[in-house]
Amino acid sequence: MTGDRRSAYLALAGVLTGAAGIVTSQATVWALRATNSPVVAVASAVRDLTPGPLAVRLVHLVGHLDKPLLVAGTLVVLIVLCGWAGLLTRRHPLVPDLLFAGLALVGLLAVIRLKDSGIASGLAVVVGLVTWIVTLRLLTAPLLAEPAGATGAAAGPVSGALSAESRRAFVLRAGGAAAVVLLAGAAGRVASGSRRKVEQARRLLRLPVHHGALPEGANVDVAGIAPWRTPNSDFYLIHTVLSAPSISPKDWQLRIHGMVERERTYTYDDLIRRQLTEAWVTLCCVSNEVGGDLIGNAFWSGVLVRDLLQEVGVQSGADAVLQTSHDGWTCGTPLAALTDDRNAMLAVAMNGLPLPIDHGFPVRTVVPGLYGYVSATKWLVDLEVTRFDRFTAYWTRRGWSAKGPVKTESRIDVPRGGDNVKAGMIRVGGSAWAQHTGIERVEYQLDGGPWRTADLGGVPDLDTWVQWTDLVEVAAGDHVLVVRATDRSGATQTSARRDVVPDGATGWHTVSFSAT
């Protein structure tokens, strides 16, 4: 076997070494129930260092795959670097150790920067580093040994034929290392099961909540329009955490402090023993582009935030509440939006069921009329009553506005862009929203003609979206349909197109379709 084939074996040894370190590190995370794994921490750092506008474009490009792709990309880069480390052992035996140490340092710094990381997460980095160093030496030893019978200046640890004995030794060592690593990974997985335990605790919860009867006439019963109630499984998911925290209700606590008369900590039982408020509320992401689907409507159950703030006593001069998630994510919410007559709540249930883990179980915030980036904190653990001039939150320090009232928007669901419909009378429709202001009317325009007023579905209050529909006659050929909404304050959507940064997109949704 030639020296080039030897390089292939060395690269393979590096790849196997990389995988071994990743598995044992993750096994340590599972076994010790560490909050953050090094790989996820590094991926989180990449995410946080990505400029806001670029991050938004990437999210729109790949949708819900953004986090899996980010973690997968981190793993690929790590494996490639470890493969390169295997090649380096041929001429620079000590350089791989330095490379591994550098990678471990990056992982450790990434873990430390996450506020909820503990010693166990740092220990996982150390375990991975030791695994890399030991495994690479174990696997490359037979590959770097001087070939049997080799003589002369050309013979040495990095040249000459690779004997069958050396290849056999490599295969045996690789197999043994793989077996040990897989056993360690399985043991760590079994020892953990934290998410499974939390999921089981969630399933066993029996909360005093209702499913939410659908308001009469809310659905206009037009095929293709998104259902008025969004099922939990279809509700949009936007959050910065790469791995949803698994928090047992018995371990959850909420601290309310800052500019208050009496600091207080609440438990999950404290919340569910109270009178729960239940309401339909539509949530919308500030990253939702014109005509986008980052919006959903659900029946939420929870405790009114204003009741808790009244209990702790808000001091004069406060105008904001800094919310903090279990993973360290923050947002600033106008105090007025949490203390006025709207149903701003600490939600414990969604559509009659305990919150899904990915949607913030056990407790999240729901605030009608505000974009999620300034209100909808999942896995909520801290409320600090303060002032806007005393802090910057996660997205505001990345160029987004400090306050995010929802803009009046509308969307065409039927027909879709590019559809081919049958000429004649067709049904058009979609949804419109202006949470905590309400929709007064929806108008649509076909091919630049006059604006026509659509029929609206029924809604229970001002805090949900509304479906719209109408019948319109279309001739054979290409067509353009435009929609706009007017809210109950009398304001009509602007036609001016604007990007989602810094406080939400504007513009009329337009679709092109054909009729035959």
Side-chain angles (χ1 to χ4, degrees):
M1 185 167 288
T2 65
D4 289 338
R5 296 296 297 274
R6 187 190 299 271
S7 295
Y9 270 91
L10 290 171
L12 176 59
V15 168
L16 294 175
T17 295
I22 292 169
V23 171
T24 56
S25 177
Q26 185 61 45
T28 304
V29 169
W30 286 332
L32 300 180
R33 299 184 184 180
T35 306
N36 299 299
S37 76
V39 170
V40 171
V42 171
S44 298
V46 173
R47 172 207 64 199
D48 293 344
L49 294 174
T50 302
L54 176 58
V56 170
R57 288 181 174 82
L58 291 175
V59 168
H60 283 297
L61 179 65
V62 299
H64 294 336
L65 295 177
D66 59 336
K67 296 168 186 66
L69 287 175
L70 183 54
V71 173
T74 302
L75 289 171
V76 168
V77 170
L78 197 54
I79 291 294
V80 169
L81 288 175
C82 288
W84 180 47
L87 287 173
L88 290 175
T89 59
R90 189 171 185 180
R91 299 189 183 278
H92 309 285
L94 296 180
V95 171
D97 292 348
L98 297 177
L99 176 59
F100 291 150
L103 292 175
L105 179 60
V106 170
L108 187 60
L109 292 175
V111 164
I112 291 174
R113 66 178 292 275
L114 298 177
K115 294 181 180 179
D116 57 339
S117 291
I119 296 176
S121 296
L123 183 59
V125 175
V126 175
V127 169
L129 173 60
V130 172
T131 301
W132 280 338
I133 293 174
V134 172
T135 304
L136 190 63
R137 278 175 164 72
L138 177 73
L139 296 183
T140 57
L143 302 177
L144 298 175
E146 185 175 353
T151 59
V158 293
S159 61
L162 191 63
S163 67
E165 182 179 352
S166 295
R167 295 195 300 272
R168 188 181 308 110
F170 170 77
V171 171
L172 289 175
R173 292 185 181 206
V180 171
V181 167
L182 290 176
L183 285 174
R189 187 61 173 165
V190 171
S192 172
S194 59
R195 183 177 176 110
R196 294 193 301 273
K197 291 177 181 177
V198 171
E199 190 61 67
Q200 182 181 25
R202 176 183 170 275
R203 287 196 301 268
L204 292 175
L205 278 176
R206 296 295 180 265
L207 299 177
V209 299
H210 300 93
H211 183 260
L214 202 66
E216 184 177 355
N219 280 326
V220 296
D221 296 325
V222 175
I225 296 181
W228 189 80
R229 180 209 294 269
T230 308
N232 291 358
S233 58
D234 295 337
F235 209 94
Y236 77 95
L237 273 174
I238 294 290
H239 49 244
T240 59
V241 64
L242 298 178
S243 178
S246 297
I247 310 169
S248 172
K250 65 181 178 60
D251 296 329
W252 180 85
Q253 289 186 329
L254 172 68
R255 179 189 178 208
I256 302 181
H257 61 109
M259 297 176 66
V260 299
E261 299 297 336
R262 298 165 295 280
E263 180 177 325
R264 184 166 174 182
T265 299
Y266 294 86
T267 67
Y268 190 76
D269 285 342
D270 290 336
L271 296 189
I272 62 175
R273 281 198 297 261
R274 292 170 171 266
Q275 178 65 45
L276 298 182
T277 293
E278 298 187 302
W280 292 98
V281 178
T282 296
L283 298 184
C284 182
C285 181
V286 71
S287 297
N288 197 37
E289 295 180 332
V290 174
D293 59 0
L294 299 181
I295 182 171
N297 184 53
F299 188 71
W300 305 91
S301 307
V303 174
L304 292 173
V305 180
R306 64 173 175 266
D307 290 347
L308 302 182
L309 292 178
Q310 185 176 19
E311 289 177 3
V312 299
V314 175
Q315 295 178 356
S316 176
D319 65 1
V321 173
L322 180 64
Q323 302 187 40
T324 303
S325 169
H326 182 271
D327 68 304
W329 184 85
T330 58
C331 77
T333 308
L335 179 62
L338 299 175
T339 55
D340 62 16
D341 61 351
R342 76 186 76 192
N343 288 315
M345 70 175 80
L346 303 185
V348 297
M350 180 180 183
N351 287 326
L353 297 172
L355 291 172
I357 290 179
D358 286 340
H359 284 286
F361 180 79
V363 180
R364 67 167 295 165
T365 318
V366 171
V367 184
L370 298 180
Y371 286 120
Y373 84 104
V374 296
S375 67
T377 304
K378 299 171 184 174
W379 315 290
L380 179 73
V381 295
D382 191 277
L383 294 177
E384 180 186 359
V385 180
T386 182
R387 294 186 52 82
F388 275 109
D389 57 11
R390 295 181 181 177
F391 71 89
T392 55
Y394 183 90
W395 283 114
T396 53
R397 71 175 64 103
R398 288 165 173 78
W400 297 76
S401 297
K403 302 175 183 179
V406 170
K407 292 180 169 61
T408 300
E409 294 292 333
S410 55
R411 185 181 75 193
I412 300 168
D413 289 347
V414 180
R416 302 279 181 181
D419 277 357
N420 193 311
V421 303
K422 186 176 181 179
M425 297 298 294
I426 68 167
R427 179 68 67 175
V428 297
S431 300
W433 54 92
Q435 295 94 304
H436 208 58
T437 303
I439 293 295
E440 179 66 29
R441 68 177 179 275
V442 174
E443 300 168 293
Y444 66 94
Q445 181 188 66
L446 182 67
D447 300 330
W451 288 99
R452 308 180 190 185
T453 301
D455 296 326
L456 301 183
V459 293
D461 53 40
L462 304 176
D463 293 334
T464 71
W465 61 2
V466 60
Q467 294 185 347
W468 66 270
T469 185
D470 204 7
L471 281 169
V472 62
E473 186 172 6
V474 296
D478 297 330
H479 300 279
V480 176
L481 182 67
V482 183
V483 67
R484 69 183 184 187
T486 299
D487 63 37
R488 295 190 184 182
S489 75
T492 300
Q493 277 182 258
T494 176
S495 61
R497 282 272 181 164
R498 197 177 72 176
D499 192 24
V500 297
V501 181
D503 58 2
T506 64
W508 295 340
H509 189 207
T510 303
V511 299
S512 300
F513 67 99
S514 300
T516 54

